[in-house]
């Protein structure tokens, strides 16, 4: 990946003494390069990046990127295990050849992107070479890069503990699910009523995560994460394979607000949080306003459909399904939407689309009948097969029925292939 200072806020040793002590200790233990810049970013991630100072062939400038949401989610020890993993990729004491290849994969990818984005005559001369060499090198080095991830985990275990690494891997996976499925959707839900994004997601994140920590979705998401298989799409192994490699079971470990590692930012924490909130509000303003306007139009459409029903005007199939959808999403009345869908199913039980929608309603209510109805939708129209298999796999995972979950995962893999 490429990087510049605009991607984050640079901090210095006088800003965060304890954080820099951790960084210096890890560097010394691993004999890894000095970091010229430490940036706090908006991402739920941490990374070490090397960028040439003077063009693509210059000396490296080393960046350490640490995401504020990551610091807001983990303890200091957990964050240390993440940094130890990242530093492990640059270590001169461990797997030097593999680390060199790991860095070259990133370097060649950067060069390839630069050439593709630059239309100069010189780049045009080199483009055919890059198009042939970079994919070949990436494929050839993939097994080494995958092994390097396991080695980085092993290094993290040495510098912290196996228990800490297992807790960190498990917790990071669950927090990732929370951010994607709960936190950001809840934030953007305010766009239904607020014309402008007058919310501060980074400021409110810690308390929201603390409130979520007792949620029953934690085990569901953990089961889902553990069920994922290692693939060739990413050099990172699956969560289960990484845990097996360090001989530890999965364990989600929430930490108190006072113990979260964002405290390492000291007096700059509030300033950085405010800057990220202001930037976020500016970045999403246009899309937020567009969404708000779209929601207002959907509310008007729902009113029109309700008026037709009151006037005993028969709705078309599309209008009926729209009415069910809008009743759930816009009117926020899922029970009424379910009742409407139940009536529609009774009237048209041989319709694949109706089966699919009604089956999803039942699955959401943990009703096993939904499995049969979703299967019927897939039989009536193969267009629904992938979504049906995904839904049923997740349903059986939530029921802790690994046999049926594996069955639908295999059907999904067969269908996608």
């Amino acid at each position: 990946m490429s990087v510049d200072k605009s991607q984050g806020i640079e901090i210095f040793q006088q800003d965060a003494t304890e954080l820099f002590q951790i960084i210096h200790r890890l560097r010394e233990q691993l004999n890894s390069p000095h970091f010229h810049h430490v940036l706090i970013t908006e991402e739920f991630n941490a990374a070490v990046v090397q960028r040439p100072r003077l063009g693509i062939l210059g000396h490296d400038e080393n960046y350490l990127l640490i995401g504020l949401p990551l610091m807001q989610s983990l303890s200091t020890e957990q964050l240390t295990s993440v940094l130890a993993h990242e530093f492990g990729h640059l270590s001169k004491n461990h797997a030097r050849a593999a680390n060199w290849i790991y860095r070259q994969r990133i370097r060649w990818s950067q060069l390839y992107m630069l050439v593709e984005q630059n239309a100069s005559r010189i780049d045009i001369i080199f483009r055919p070479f890059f198009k042939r060499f970079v994919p070949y090198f990436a494929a050839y080095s993939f097994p080494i890069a995958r092994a390097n991830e396991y080695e980085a985990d092993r290094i993290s275990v040495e510098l912290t503990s196996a228990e800490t690494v297992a807790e960190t891997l498990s917790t990071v996976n669950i927090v990732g699910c929370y951010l994607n499925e709960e936190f950001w959707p809840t934030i953007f839900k305010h766009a239904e009523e607020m014309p402008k994004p007058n919310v501060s997601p980074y400021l409110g994140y810690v308390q929201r995560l603390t409130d979520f920590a007792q949620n029953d979705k934690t085990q569901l998401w953990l089961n889902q994460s553990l069920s994922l298989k290692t693939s060739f799409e990413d050099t990172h192994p699956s969560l289960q394979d990484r845990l097996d490699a360090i001989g530890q079971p999965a364990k989600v470990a929430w930490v108190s607000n006072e113990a979260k590692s964002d405290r390492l930012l000291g007096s700059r924490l509030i300033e950085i949080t405010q800057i990220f909130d202001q930037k976020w509000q500016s970045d999403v303003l246009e899309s937020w306003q567009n969404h708000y306007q779209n929601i207002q139009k959907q509310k008007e459409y729902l009113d029109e459909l309700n008026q037709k029903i009151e006037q005993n005007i028969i709705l078309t199939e599309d209008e009926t399904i729209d009415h069910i959808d809008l009743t759930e999403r816009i009117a926020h009345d899922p029970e009424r939407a379910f009742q409407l869908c139940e009536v529609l199913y009774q009237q048209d039980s041989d319709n694949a689309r109706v089966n699919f929608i009604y089956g999803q309603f039942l699955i959401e209510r943990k009703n096993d009948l939904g499995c049969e109805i979703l299967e019927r939708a897939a039989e009536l129209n193969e267009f629904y097969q992938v979504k049906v298999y995904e839904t049923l796999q997740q349903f059986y995972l939530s029921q802790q029925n690994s046999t049926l979950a594996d069955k639908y995962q295999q059907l999904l893999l067969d269908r996608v292939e």
Side-chain angles (χ1 to χ4, degrees):
M1 63 179 289
S2 61
V3 63
D4 58 60
K5 294 183 183 179
S6 66
Q7 289 184 239
I9 298 174
E10 186 164 11
I11 59 170
F12 303 93
Q13 185 158 350
Q14 61 267 27
D15 300 323
T17 304
E18 187 176 349
L19 176 60
F20 275 80
Q21 288 175 346
I22 294 171
I23 294 171
H24 294 324
R25 174 169 58 83
L26 292 175
R27 279 189 52 244
E28 291 177 356
Q29 290 174 313
L30 294 171
N31 191 21
S32 60
H34 167 74
F35 288 101
H36 301 92
H37 305 283
V38 178
L39 304 183
I40 305 302
T41 75
E42 304 164 76
E43 306 299 323
F44 180 66
N45 193 22
V48 292
V49 180
Q50 293 183 310
R51 188 190 71 171
R53 290 184 180 182
L54 304 173
I56 61 176
L57 300 178
H59 294 294
D60 284 331
E61 192 171 35
N62 301 317
Y63 286 76
L64 172 60
L65 311 182
I66 309 176
L68 178 62
L70 188 71
M71 300 184 75
Q72 292 174 317
S73 305
L74 303 179
S75 68
T76 300
E77 187 69 7
Q78 290 170 339
L79 179 68
T80 300
S81 75
V82 173
L83 297 180
H85 175 100
E86 296 301 327
F87 286 24
H89 291 309
L90 301 181
S91 174
K92 296 178 182 178
N93 292 342
H94 301 76
R96 295 182 65 175
N99 283 344
W100 181 85
I101 289 176
Y102 179 90
R103 295 193 295 272
Q104 295 313 306
R105 283 172 61 89
I106 297 174
R107 171 61 57 79
W108 282 108
S109 295
Q110 290 175 335
L111 295 177
Y112 182 71
M113 291 177 61
L114 285 172
V115 170
E116 284 296 300
Q117 294 169 2
N118 195 318
S120 74
R121 293 178 61 184
I122 294 179
D123 287 336
I124 289 174
I125 293 173
F126 287 105
R127 190 173 288 124
F129 165 75
F130 279 102
K131 284 191 172 183
R132 289 195 304 270
F133 176 76
V134 173
Y136 169 79
F137 180 73
Y140 178 80
S141 60
F142 185 91
I144 299 174
R146 170 67 58 75
N148 192 251
E149 293 296 340
Y150 286 115
E151 175 66 12
D153 279 347
R154 189 184 68 79
I155 291 171
S156 184
V157 167
E158 287 182 4
L159 299 186
T160 54
S161 70
E163 293 80 4
T164 297
V165 173
E167 289 178 356
T168 304
L169 291 172
S170 304
T171 304
V172 164
N173 271 269
I174 298 308
V175 175
C177 292
Y178 165 70
L179 285 167
N180 291 330
E181 300 187 32
E182 290 274 343
F183 180 76
W184 287 116
T186 300
I187 292 294
F188 282 103
K189 194 173 182 61
H190 290 297
E192 295 182 10
E193 306 295 337
M194 297 170 56
K196 293 183 179 181
N198 296 322
V199 291
S200 301
Y202 291 95
L203 181 62
Y205 172 73
V206 170
Q207 188 57 52
R208 287 179 181 271
L209 181 62
T210 300
D211 294 341
F212 165 79
Q214 306 302 320
N215 195 296
D216 59 1
K217 289 186 178 180
T218 296
Q219 190 60 48
L220 169 62
W221 286 340
L222 183 59
N223 291 340
Q224 291 175 356
S225 297
L226 291 171
S227 72
L228 296 176
K229 307 298 183 184
T230 296
S231 73
F232 292 103
E233 297 177 359
D234 187 358
T235 57
H236 286 83
S238 68
L239 173 61
Q240 186 63 68
D241 286 349
R242 295 176 75 175
L243 292 171
D244 289 343
I246 61 175
Q248 291 291 316
K251 181 182 179 181
V252 178
W254 303 110
V255 295
S256 66
N257 292 351
E258 296 74 20
K260 288 183 168 60
S261 59
D262 61 353
R263 67 175 183 81
L264 298 175
L265 297 176
S267 61
R268 296 209 59 189
L269 174 60
I270 295 177
E271 171 203 351
I272 292 171
T273 303
Q274 291 175 340
I275 290 173
F276 284 166
D277 277 330
Q278 291 169 2
K279 182 177 182 299
W280 176 84
Q281 290 172 1
S282 175
D283 289 344
V284 304
L285 178 59
E286 182 177 357
S287 61
W288 184 285
Q289 291 176 327
N290 290 338
H291 183 66
Y292 173 80
Q293 293 169 3
N294 183 50
I295 291 296
Q296 305 317 304
K297 292 178 181 178
Q298 292 184 58
K299 288 180 178 180
E300 292 174 2
Y301 180 39
L302 177 59
D303 289 340
E304 292 175 8
L305 294 176
N306 284 328
Q307 289 175 11
K308 283 186 176 183
I309 293 172
E310 291 174 3
Q311 297 168 5
N312 294 320
I313 298 175
I314 298 176
L315 303 182
T316 66
E317 178 184 311
D318 285 343
E319 286 178 329
T320 301
I321 292 175
D322 287 344
H323 185 242
I324 294 170
D325 174 55
L326 295 172
T327 299
E328 180 179 32
R329 289 192 304 105
I330 304 302
H332 302 296
D333 192 348
E335 287 309 311
R336 175 59 178 159
F338 174 64
Q339 294 169 5
L340 293 170
C341 190
E342 197 167 34
V343 171
L344 178 61
Y345 175 75
Q346 292 170 355
Q347 296 172 344
D348 197 4
S349 60
D350 290 329
N351 186 310
R353 186 181 179 190
V354 172
N355 275 264
F356 180 69
I357 296 171
Y358 185 49
Q360 286 187 310
F361 268 110
L362 292 170
I363 287 293
E364 290 170 359
R365 286 157 178 75
K366 303 188 184 304
N367 188 328
D368 290 348
L369 178 60
C371 301
E372 178 183 335
I373 292 176
L374 283 176
E375 284 276 19
R376 175 68 172 152
E379 291 174 4
L380 290 169
N381 190 334
E382 65 177 13
F383 171 80
Y384 293 106
Q385 287 180 356
V386 170
K387 188 60 180 177
V388 165
Y389 298 153
E390 287 178 341
T391 301
L392 293 180
Q393 182 205 15
Q394 299 305 322
F395 173 74
Y396 285 117
L397 279 175
S398 70
Q399 301 294 307
Q400 298 186 355
N401 188 331
S402 59
T403 301
L404 287 177
D406 290 343
K407 169 191 171 181
Y408 285 103
Q409 183 178 35
Q410 188 57 53
L411 285 172
L412 182 60
L413 291 172
D414 293 343
R415 183 66 178 81
V416 172
E417 293 174 356

